[in-house]
Structures are given as structure tokens and as C-alpha cells.
């Protein structure tokens, strides 16, 4: 137990849960639980300067994370990825202060490493022996990887048309992999069955409270790397939306302890045209999304037809004055190529989607020339050979 964790709180019904015992969803209303910290004590226990002197991984922020016993931390060097200025690309659109957070450089080639490192460390601290999760692809690889490093058995279910590379990495890390005819939602049903039958710990997105804490470090790092100044906007490619909820919480916690000040950045969510339930709910001013039928996109991380934390994503976007928009696979492919050719950045299609979004938002007058914008590249192109081929085939 982190010295600073006080409770697990349900954001829907406010019911508190004991953080010393293993928890999944809120026992009253089945919502995701969020970790609360004693920020007053945290503020006096650690300083920006101390953190800046530590090893450059996400665990430099350990006081903001839920693992108390440092010997339980399972780390492969995840986090503290570079924040690269890509204004050489965006200047053509009149934007001179745009950075890309390159989370493709994480272990397993995606930012899922952050969630897996935190989630597996916490599972280890609890003495959990087997975890199970459905995945659209990269989360399976990351949890299989960190499970292997921790000696925890990992059971993964993924759509049988999930990228071959994700299937291979799960097997190579020694995970138990089940392929399912359908989407991540169908893989979820398969996993639920295994959990009932074998008592595995349910590590599905937002069904365990700690993965989001790992992703929170994205927001902490952005603030530190910008010299503890907040940008004007952060653009994020949302599937389940865990990353954006994490960033939102990180920035609010930093503001609460006085390490940053002023308005929070506008949080902007990007989805694929073939699977955009959050965008639809945002446009229709709904508090939650509806299941998106026939979800299709080559950006497999965005192929989430209905997210458990959708209400939190929509709240984050609305409270910060952000927006939500969908881009086409063709635009993702075009931006993959642009990032590679012009900046030497090998971005996953999900990450490339955020650059396509920036181009559109500038055209629509929703991002201005003097604004500081951070986009998140959530994965490496190396995990997407088909998208690479598409980026090469497409006309610029
Ligand atoms: C999982 C994933 C996403 C979406 O992340 P969420 O936290 O589910 O919104 C985006 N990009 C890549 C590369 C991913 O693997």
C-alpha cells in the first residue's frame, strides 16, 4: 500500500472501498474505482527537485503511484519517454509549438507498458498468482510481458483478427492466449467465463483500479518535461480512454499540490471514423456512449465499441473545454508517413491520428497559432506492418 493512498472511490456513487484488499468494480454500482491519495502529506514528502534527480522511468513518481513496497515494483524501464518538438511539421499549418510524446519507445512498443507495470506490480504486492484480460492487442502484449517479469500467470483473450504481432508476443512471453471470433467485447465475455471458473484476477481495462494509475504518469511527465508549465491542449487517441482519464487526474493532482497552476489544458479525444462512440456521445451531449456496431479501423487500439469509463472521458473533455473528433484510416496512414519522413518518428496509426486531428482542428479554428499543444503517440509503427504498407501505398 502506498504511504499516500487513502481510499478507492467510486466516481459515480462516491462509495469508498478499502484499498488494502483486492478490489475490482464498485460493489454498489459496478463503476470503475479511482485511487485517492493524501495530497497534503504527499506535497510535504516529496519535491519537484527530488523527482527530477531520480532514474528516468515512470517510477520516479512513486509517491503518486499505489505501490508501497518498492521491492514489489516490476519495472523494465517504462515511461519518461521523450517529448519531441514537431513544429517543423506543424508550422505549415501555422502552429509553432507542438510536441509529440513518443510513447512508442516503451517496452513492448506501446504505452500499455505503463498500465501493465503498475497493474502487475500491484498484483504482485497483493500476492495474486494469475491475472486475466481481454485486449484489442497491445494491452495483451504488455501484460504478458510484465507478468513474465513478475512470475505471474497471464491469461489473454483477443479477437482472432487482432494483429498477428500481438498474438505472437503474448505467446512468446508465455501467456495463455485465447482467440475469439468477434471484438474486444466478445473477448471480455470469454475472460469472464475463465474468471468464474478458475478465480483469476480480472485485470480488464478499468475493472482493476491500478492500470489507470500507471497511465497517469503520462500527464505527470508532460508537466515536468514542459518545465512544470501546462500546455494549452493535449490530443489523445482514445480506445477505452484510460490514458486521457489518467492524464486528467494527474494534472488535477499536480494542481492540487501547487506544482502547476492555471487552467487545465483542453483535453481532446481522437477516434477512428470506423469506431467513434465517444465522439458521437460528445456531439450528442450524452453523458455516456452507446455500443458502436461493426467497429472497424486498422488502428487496433481504437477498436473499442463501448468503454467502461466513457462517462469519465466525456467529463474530462467537457470540464476542460476540449472536444472529440474522428479521423479516417487514410488520414492516419498519411500522418504516419509524414511523421516518419519529416521528423524520423515511427508512430503507430493511433498516434498518427492525433496529428491528423491537429491539422483539422487548426483548419476549424479550434487550435490557434500561439498555443502549446501536446499530442500523444501511443505506440510504435513496428507493431503495425500492415499500416506501414498502407502508409506507403497512399498518395500524399
Ligand atoms: C490501447 C491503445 C490506445 C487506446 O488507449 P486507451 O487507454 O484504451 O484509450 C491507443 N493507442 C495504442 C497504440 C494502444 O495500444
Amino acid at each position: 500500500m502506498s504511504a499516500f493512498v487513502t481510499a478507492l472511490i467510486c466516481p459515480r456513487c462516491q462509495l469508498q472501498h478499502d484499498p488494502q484488499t483486492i478490489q475490482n468494480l464498485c460493489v454498489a454500482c459496478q463503476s470503475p474505482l479511482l485511487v485517492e491519495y493524501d495530497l497534503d502529506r504527499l506535497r510535504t514528502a516529496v519535491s519537484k527537485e527530488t523527482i527530477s534527480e531520480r532514474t528516468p522511468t515512470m517510477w520516479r513518481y512513486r509517491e503518486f503511484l499505489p505501490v508501497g513496497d518498492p521491492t514489489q515494483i516490476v519495472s523494465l524501464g517504462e515511461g519518461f519517454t521523450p517529448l519531441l518538438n514537431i513544429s517543423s511539421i506543424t508550422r505549415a499549418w501555422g502552429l509553432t509549438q507542438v510536441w509529440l510524446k513518443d510513447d512508442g519507445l516503451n517496452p513492448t512498443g506501446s504505452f500499455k507498458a505503463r498500465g501493465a507495470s503498475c497493474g502487475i506490480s500491484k498484483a504482485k504486492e497483493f500476492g495474486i498468482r494469475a491475472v486475466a484480460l481481454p485486449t484489442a492487442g497491445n494491452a495483451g502484449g504488455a501484460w504478458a510481458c510484465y507478468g513474465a517479469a513478475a512470475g505471474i500467470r497471464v491469461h489473454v483473450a483477443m479477437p482472432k483478427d487482432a494483429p498477428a504481432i500481438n498474438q505472437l508476443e503474448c505467446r512468446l512471453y508465455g501467456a495463455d492466449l485465447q482467440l475469439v471470433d468477434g471484438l474486444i467485447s466478445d473477448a471480455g465475455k470469454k475472460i469472464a467465463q475463465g474468471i468464474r471458473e478458475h478465480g483469476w484476477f480480472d485485470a480488464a481495462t478499468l475493472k482493476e483500479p491500478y492500470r489507470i494509475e500507471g497511465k497517469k504518469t503520462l500527464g505527470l511527465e508532460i508537466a515536468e518535461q514542459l518545465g512544470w508549465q501546462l500546455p494549452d491542449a493535449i490530443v489523445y487517441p482514445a480506445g477505452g480512454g484510460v490514458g486521457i482519464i489518467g492524464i486528467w487526474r494527474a494534472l488535477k493532482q499536480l494542481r492540487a499540490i501547487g506544482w502547476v497552476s492555471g487552467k487545465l489544458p483542453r483535453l481532446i479525444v481522437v477516434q477512428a471514423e470506423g469506431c467513434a462512440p465517444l465522439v458521437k456521445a460528445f456531439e450528442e451531449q450524452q453523458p455516456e456512449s452507446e455500443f458502436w456496431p461493426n467497429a472497424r479501423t486498422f488502428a487496433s487500439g481504437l477498436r473499442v465499441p463501448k468503454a467502461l469509463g466513457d462517462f469519465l472521458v466525456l467529463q474530462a473533455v467537457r470540464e476542460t473545454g476540449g472536444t472529440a473528433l474522428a479521423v479516417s484510416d487514410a488520414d492516419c496512414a498519411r500522418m504516419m508517413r509524414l511523421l516518419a519522413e519529416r521528423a524520423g518518428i515511427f508512430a503507430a496509426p493511433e498516434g498518427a491520428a492525433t496529428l491528423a486531428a491537429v491539422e483539422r482542428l487548426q483548419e476549424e479554428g479550434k487550435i490557434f497559432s500561439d498555443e502549446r499543444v501536446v499530442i500523444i503517440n501511443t505506440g510504435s509503427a513496428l507493431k503495425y506492418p500492415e499500416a506501414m504498407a498502407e502508409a506507403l501505398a497512399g498518395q500524399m
Side-chain angles (χ1 to χ4, degrees):
M1 168 61 38
S2 156
F4 304 99
V5 172
T6 54
L8 298 174
I9 293 184
C10 173
R12 215 189 278 274
C13 76
Q14 312 304 322
L15 187 68
Q16 294 208 12
H17 295 64
D18 177 11
Q20 315 264 10
T21 57
I22 298 171
Q23 305 280 357
N24 285 111
L25 294 174
C26 172
V27 294
C29 73
Q30 305 296 304
S31 294
L33 295 177
L34 299 173
V35 185
E36 291 294 333
Y37 297 80
D38 183 342
L39 295 174
D40 284 330
R41 276 206 312 119
L42 192 155
R43 178 192 356 236
T44 57
V46 65
S47 67
K48 291 179 201 173
E49 292 71 28
T50 310
I51 285 190
S52 299
E53 285 161 10
R54 291 181 181 162
T55 309
T57 77
M58 70 175 216
W59 291 99
R60 74 209 256 114
Y61 303 104
R62 56 183 172 265
E63 287 84 358
F64 294 82
L65 294 171
V67 182
D69 175 359
T71 65
Q72 301 300 308
I73 292 173
V74 184
S75 176
L76 297 164
E78 56 294 319
F80 219 72
T81 54
L83 187 68
L84 305 167
N85 191 313
I86 56 159
S87 304
S88 60
I89 293 178
T90 59
R91 197 164 286 127
W93 315 328
L95 301 175
T96 56
Q97 301 192 83
V98 181
W99 288 267
L100 177 144
K101 178 80 170 149
D102 198 358
D103 251 35
L105 301 181
N106 276 304
T108 72
S110 90
F111 83 133
K112 293 294 194 300
R114 294 180 189 268
S117 176
C118 191
I120 284 284
S121 297
K122 197 64 197 169
K124 189 166 167 235
E125 194 174 51
F126 277 130
I128 290 170
R129 306 300 305 275
V131 303
L133 65 153
T135 174
N138 285 327
W143 282 73
C145 167
Y146 283 87
I152 291 176
R153 183 89 176 122
V154 179
H155 302 271
V156 176
M158 68 172 76
K160 71 174 193 292
D161 61 351
I165 198 157
N166 295 126
Q167 304 181 21
L168 290 169
E169 65 179 342
C170 283
R171 292 215 174 92
L172 206 53
Y173 288 124
D176 161 39
L177 174 66
Q178 305 188 44
L179 297 177
V180 174
D181 205 355
L183 293 172
I184 185 171
S185 37
D186 302 292
K189 289 175 200 149
K190 187 89 194 165
I191 286 295
Q193 188 188 334
I195 286 167
R196 276 194 307 274
E197 285 169 14
H198 307 288
W200 304 329
F201 177 65
D202 189 347
T205 303
L206 289 172
K207 284 194 187 163
E208 66 86 52
Y210 302 107
R211 185 197 286 225
I212 181 170
E213 295 301 296
K215 290 194 176 178
K216 198 175 78 179
T217 56
L218 256 178
L220 301 173
E221 289 174 19
I222 290 169
E224 181 180 351
Q225 290 173 315
L226 290 176
W228 304 106
Q229 303 280 320
L230 294 177
D232 297 295
I234 295 178
V235 189
Y236 177 83
V242 184
I244 197 73
I245 304 168
I247 290 170
W248 183 45
R249 289 180 61 71
L251 300 181
K252 286 203 291 191
Q253 288 172 1
L254 287 177
R255 201 168 61 174
I257 62 171
W259 289 12
V260 298
S261 57
K263 256 176 61 175
L264 290 190
R266 306 196 296 284
L267 298 180
I268 297 171
V269 155
V270 186
Q271 296 200 291
E273 282 176 356
C275 182
L278 295 167
V279 177
K280 181 166 184 280
F282 177 78
E283 286 172 352
E284 294 174 355
Q285 297 180 9
Q286 297 299 318
E288 286 174 30
S289 64
E290 283 164 36
F291 187 89
W292 187 278
N294 306 317
R296 274 178 61 92
T297 168
F298 73 172
S300 52
L302 308 186
R303 211 161 55 131
V304 181
K306 162 83 181 159
L308 196 58
D310 53 2
F311 67 107
L312 293 171
V313 177
L314 291 162
Q315 201 185 328
V317 169
R318 289 190 178 119
E319 262 188 41
T320 58
T323 187
L325 69 164
V327 300
S328 67
D329 279 9
D331 277 342
C332 293
R334 182 166 62 88
M335 291 304 174
M336 275 178 81
R337 185 162 176 177
L338 197 62
L339 282 164
E341 278 185 357
R342 300 269 301 282
I345 294 171
F346 219 42
E350 294 87 344
T354 61
L355 188 60
V358 166
E359 184 188 40
R360 259 257 297 290
L361 291 167
Q362 190 279 330
E363 278 167 16
E364 292 174 0
K366 292 181 182 155
I367 291 183
F368 310 103
S369 56
D370 57 343
E371 289 196 306
R372 292 150 52 97
V373 179
V374 173
I375 69 175
I376 316 278
N377 174 38
T378 43
S380 165
L382 283 174
K383 296 195 89 173
Y384 299 81
E386 285 167 19
M388 283 196 254
E390 199 147 326
L392 282 169
Q395 296 300 307
M396 290 292 286

